[in-house]
Amino acid sequence: MIELAEVTKRYGTATAVDRVSFSVSRGEVVVLLGGSGSGKTTTLKMINRLIEPTAGTIRIDGREATQLPLHDLRRRIGYVSPQIGLSRHMTVARNIGVTPSLLGWDAARIHTKVDELLALCGLEPGRIRDRTPGELSGGQAQRVAVARALAAEPSIVLLDEPFGALDSITRERLQRSFLDLRRTLGFSAIFVTHDVVEALLLGDRIGVMQDGRLLQLAPGRELIRNPAHP
Ligand code: ADP
Ligand code: MG
């Protein structure tokens, strides 16, 4: 349902992503693992067209991403950025409801969806929905960011180091929540991290990136047993 073929991004003479090819099947979670500057974020942002590739093709549900209207792409693909990116002057409920509103859902349906997602993401709707982001802890804010990404019922979720800024106890809690969410909702996901333990915990398969190239893509166990690169 997500297919990348020879996807490349160049900035001048520098190559940020170099002929990356892989696919993610329905319900699968692929983790992209690599150090800073290895091309993880650029790869992710090309999938939802925040960045246009220099070369190669990306297909979403069998259709070329460049052929899909942008609003259609945004509906199919939820996105969690490292900066969280909640609007500070809007309540949690309004933040989560942004995309459903744009899609023309009525208020009752949005209200129900917001409370359902808050609960699924481990937050008490009654206590959280009317707060502003400034009234949340870091972990709560990141849960809200995940809920917002899931609001329009996307079949695909892209997560860019979503738990990277959190303390280790909070991070472990959110990792467990993520495992629960994928079991309940069954989305496909690409999850970017530089944390090997997180990659092994969350990924059905792990893609190792370095210098813009995808060195190996395999289940964690195989990666450890038979690494293609030191
Ligand atoms: P990662 O997310 O793995 O840390 P990125 O995808 O952000 O890596 O970056 C990959 C490479 O592309 C890095 O060398 C980075 O400096 C470069 N890069 C990213 N964005 C730009 C840009 N807008 N202009 C020039 N170079 C960029
Ligand atoms: Mg990055």
Side-chain angles (χ1 to χ4, degrees):
M1 69 174 347
I2 311 170
E3 296 166 86
L4 283 76
E6 298 280 306
V7 173
T8 296
K9 181 66 188 183
R10 280 186 221 101
Y11 291 105
T13 54
T15 305
V17 173
D18 191 5
R19 289 162 294 157
V20 163
S21 303
F22 67 96
S23 60
V24 183
S25 49
R26 190 173 297 276
E28 186 183 32
V29 175
V30 166
V31 169
L32 294 180
L33 174 69
S36 182
S38 58
K40 307 180 300 295
T41 293
T42 306
T43 301
L44 214 59
K45 286 185 170 176
M46 286 192 287
I47 294 170
N48 67 358
R49 285 177 57 196
L50 291 173
I51 294 176
E52 295 295 337
T54 310
T57 54
I58 298 172
R59 287 177 179 276
I60 307 295
D61 298 330
R63 291 178 63 190
E64 238 183 86
T66 50
Q67 305 300 314
L68 284 168
L70 218 47
H71 68 268
D72 197 7
L73 200 75
R74 296 280 181 268
R75 183 179 53 76
R76 288 166 195 259
I77 305 180
Y79 176 58
V80 185
S81 72
Q83 296 83 14
I84 304 184
L86 300 172
S87 300
R88 307 202 65 78
H89 59 282
M90 292 191 331
T91 63
V92 164
R94 292 247 344 260
N95 267 287
I96 296 174
V98 162
T99 306
S101 293
L102 290 173
L103 294 171
W105 292 21
D106 65 53
R109 184 176 172 203
I110 294 173
H111 188 104
T112 306
K113 175 54 83 179
V114 165
D115 284 4
E116 178 193 317
L117 279 171
L118 283 171
L120 276 173
C121 291
L123 296 167
E124 270 181 68
R127 291 186 52 208
I128 298 291
R129 67 180 341 279
D130 296 321
R131 290 194 196 175
T132 57
E135 298 165 332
L136 302 173
S137 70
Q140 286 170 333
Q142 201 50 272
R143 286 176 191 273
V144 171
V146 172
R148 184 185 51 180
L150 295 169
E153 302 174 352
S155 55
I156 297 166
V157 193
L158 308 177
L159 305 102
D160 193 354
E161 313 219 25
F163 311 144
L166 303 171
D167 64 82
S168 62
I169 294 171
T170 307
R171 187 160 60 227
E172 278 175 35
R173 288 202 187 116
L174 268 91
Q175 288 164 347
R176 273 198 297 276
S177 290
F178 179 77
L179 290 171
D180 290 342
L181 275 174
R182 74 163 293 200
R183 238 190 324 272
T184 309
L185 300 176
F187 47 72
S188 311
I190 302 180
F191 190 110
V192 163
T193 184
H194 60 261
D195 179 338
V196 179
V197 176
E198 184 166 74
L200 290 169
L201 182 70
L202 302 183
D204 297 314
R205 287 185 299 159
I206 299 170
V208 180
M209 292 195 70
Q210 188 180 52
D211 298 334
R213 281 172 303 128
L214 182 62
L215 302 179
Q216 184 175 15
L217 179 65
R221 208 176 302 166
E222 188 182 324
L223 210 75
I224 286 169
R225 200 171 347 115
N226 198 12
H229 189 278

